[in-house]
Amino acid sequence: MSKAATASAAHALAPGALASPANIRRSSSRVSGKTVILIGYIVFLMLPIYWMVNMSFKTNEEILSGLTLYPHAPTLRNYVIIFTDPSWYSGYINSIYYVTLNTIISLTAALPAAYAFSRYRFIGDKHVFFWLLTNKMAPPAVFLLPFFQLYQTVGLFDTHIAVALAHCLFNVPLAVWILEGFMSGVPREIDEMAYIDGYSFPRFFTTVFMPMIRAGIGVTAFFCFMFSWVELLLARTLTSVDAKPIAATMTRTVSASGMDWGLLAAAGVLTILPGALVIWFVRNYIAKGFALGRV
Amino acid sequence: MDLQWMAWTTPTALFFIGIAIMLAGMTVWEVVSPTAEAKGFLPMRTTRGDRLFIGLLGSAFIHLGWLAATTVSLWGALAVSLVWTAFVIRFG
Amino acid sequence: MDKVQDNRAWFLIIPVFLIVAFSAVLPLMTVVNYSVQEIFGPGQTFFVGTEWFESVLADDRLHDALVRQIIYSLAVLAIEIPFGILIALGMPGGRSARTSLTLVLLALPLLIPFNVVGTIWQIFGRGDIGLLGATFRAIGIDYNYTNNSAHAWMTVLVMDVWHWTSLVALLCYAGLQSIPPAFYQAAKIDGASKWAVFRYIQLPKMRGVLIIAVLLRFMDSFMIYTEPFVLTGGGPGNSTTFLSQYLTQMAVGQFDIGRAAAFSIIYFLIVLLFSFVFYTIITKTGEGEKK
């Protein structure tokens, strides 16, 4: 087992452990042009977000009466409305519910499949793998109509499981792809030693193998969360009332009640928070994760 | 389960049955005599399955091109596609 | 990495196979069925053969949307790939608070729901209440993304750069992190210029991740729907109507199901062709590196 522990330690250390080009350049002890570009880019990223946050604390009178760089009469009115009106906050609960459901389904199905792809050759393996990937690349708009009909026929329309299953269309292939990358980084010898030690496959997989690729599992969960959380087209098509995601609540309320900019901004800010929280947890694995385990 | 929502028609059913038979046939062929990667006129090494896929994808575009360019019967496109697919599988 | 030949591995794939078959194969078959029929409602259909395909292939608005789509996707690649590389080169290394903060800030736009991205830019860009719009007006440019095609198009493009360049940067950063420090020391001893270091050490190491970046950015920009929908609704005129937008208009707006289905199939075939070419390049590159 010590071998396994070393391997997993090396795996966990990989991102960020090595000296980067930036470290070496910094020895010339002046601010390089590239750092300026990076800072400029971060400012460019943050300005629109700041503007929305800023607006969410303003009253509509202040928003419409002219530009102010910060709220002169800060108010929590917009947030109070969201947290007290069920049609608003149930949107958040619905979104979090189906996103969680989707992440669990995707991971459970993808783990054994990714193991199969990373360890065995079998009939049609490469073609099945490519077929899975094409679903990640298929435009969701193509599936709009049949999904609507399909879920209505099987009686799942407007349920959380319907959205979770529909998002599996792109999340399961993605999960298989990422996990396969991470699993291929674990040497085969570990599997063989465990089998010699008398582990059965399910026991080996859950007690030895899964802990070794936990960084990969975390990154995969992050990606499933992310893609399910940001998707709107399918989620909106497959729901009407009971499972309506927050993103859909936003578009509909805006068109119905004229333009309540402050409320819209507050709802937008609240959709960013879960994502920001999740990023913070996986920050050390982000870089490797975005390379889908293939660096 | 009610399949009416899928709106099946005879031609499309035949089309999918054809695809299913092809996949089953390729699997059986693979079991009987496993394929080897080979290099033909295509820029990369391919297996039999790869070449079938390239043949079919090409056929789809041949049909679309035929529809866009002429009003002649689509059977012509089918004939061209069959020749193309056979050619890719044999020499690709 | 020698794999063992064992067809029993299929059993491990069955769950994934069933889920994806349910959510991809059944709907895809249905789309094919719809594409050859005129659909008035459940059970009220009749066979029209290839008529929809002919009408879609001859549709000028579709040609325009396709051209617009290709120009847009190419513009996205031409800006985001070099810009992403540049940002990745400037990112701090090591495991410090500064690195973590940079990574989190960069990744933030990726976690924002697509329609909220549209909303953010809507709020930011408006001339009366938005910082960007107001700034443009203050310096004398009559910026208005709701009735000026060029402004609308540029705003959608800048929004995409804002939304997705971080993905390219993070991928390249991961590639750069995998370069052993010894490489840089050797280059320093040899007196290599910064350009030489980039050209002969950094760029080759980023090749694999760059291909993934190009693939993801091309595919996603080719399917873009929600952000322009929220920001401009495809207008003014049709200036920001891309393929998905046009397809959704046809299917949901006009309830023209047969035609939308035929359009879907053509759209899917185009994406399939590109995916296959890119995927072949990716896997063949991987093999080359291992040897």
Side-chain angles (χ1 to χ4, degrees), chain C residues 12 16 85 91 103 105 161-162 165-166 173 183 197 206 214 228 239 242 282-283:
Chain C
L12 298 172
V16 163
I85 294 176
M91 279 170 70
L103 287 174
L105 288 181
V161 170
W162 181 85
T165 304
S166 296
Y173 175 71
F183 280 44
V197 171
M206 283 193 285
V214 172
S239 58
F242 300 116
I282 288 180
T283 46

Side-chain angles (χ1 to χ4, degrees), chain C residues 18-42:
Chain C
L18 290 180
I19 288 177
V20 180
F22 178 75
S23 47
V25 175
L26 282 185
L28 208 56
M29 283 177 162
T30 311
V31 171
V32 173
N33 290 340
Y34 287 171
S35 72
V36 294
Q37 301 179 79
E38 171 79 89
I39 313 247
F40 296 111

Side-chain angles (χ1 to χ4, degrees), chain A residues 14-15 19 25-26 40 51 61 63 84 104 143 149 158 175 178 187-188 191 197 205 221 230 253 268 285 287:
Chain A
R25 249 194 332 273
R26 213 171 296 126
W51 197 248
E61 293 73 52
I63 293 171
T84 50
I104 294 169
F143 292 96
Q149 304 275 15
D158 201 17
I178 302 177
R188 277 201 66 85
D191 306 27
D197 288 348
F205 197 77
V230 299
T253 308
Y285 304 106

Side-chain angles (χ1 to χ4, degrees), chain B residues 5-9 12 53, chain C residues 30 33-34 37 53-54 57 276:
Chain B
W5 67 274
M6 288 183 81
W8 282 101
T9 63
T12 51
F53 175 77
Chain C
T30 311
N33 290 340
Y34 287 171
Q37 301 179 79
F53 286 93
E54 283 160 39
L57 285 169
F276 180 70

Side-chain angles (χ1 to χ4, degrees), chain C residues 49-69:
Chain C
T50 55
E51 203 178 286
W52 294 129
F53 286 93
E54 283 160 39
S55 94
V56 167
L57 285 169
D59 183 351
D60 285 334
R61 285 186 60 203
L62 176 71
H63 295 165
D64 293 347
L66 181 65
V67 170
R68 218 176 282 132
Q69 180 73 70

Side-chain angles (χ1 to χ4, degrees), chain C residues 135-199:
Chain C
T135 312
F136 272 126
R137 291 206 176 162
I139 57 174
I141 299 169
D142 186 21
Y143 169 84
N144 190 332
Y145 68 80
T146 52
N147 63 19
N148 182 317
S149 305
H151 293 174
W153 203 86
M154 287 307 293
T155 312
V156 173
L157 188 64
V158 170
M159 177 169 68
D160 200 280
V161 170
W162 181 85
H163 191 179
W164 289 111
T165 304
S166 296
L167 180 70
V168 181
L170 288 168
L171 276 166
C172 293
Y173 175 71
L176 289 175
Q177 291 288 303
S178 68
I179 303 175
F183 280 44
Y184 293 111
Q185 282 148 16
K188 209 173 178 187
I189 292 164
D190 290 350
S193 67
K194 273 182 184 170
W195 169 249
V197 171
F198 175 72
R199 174 67 188 80

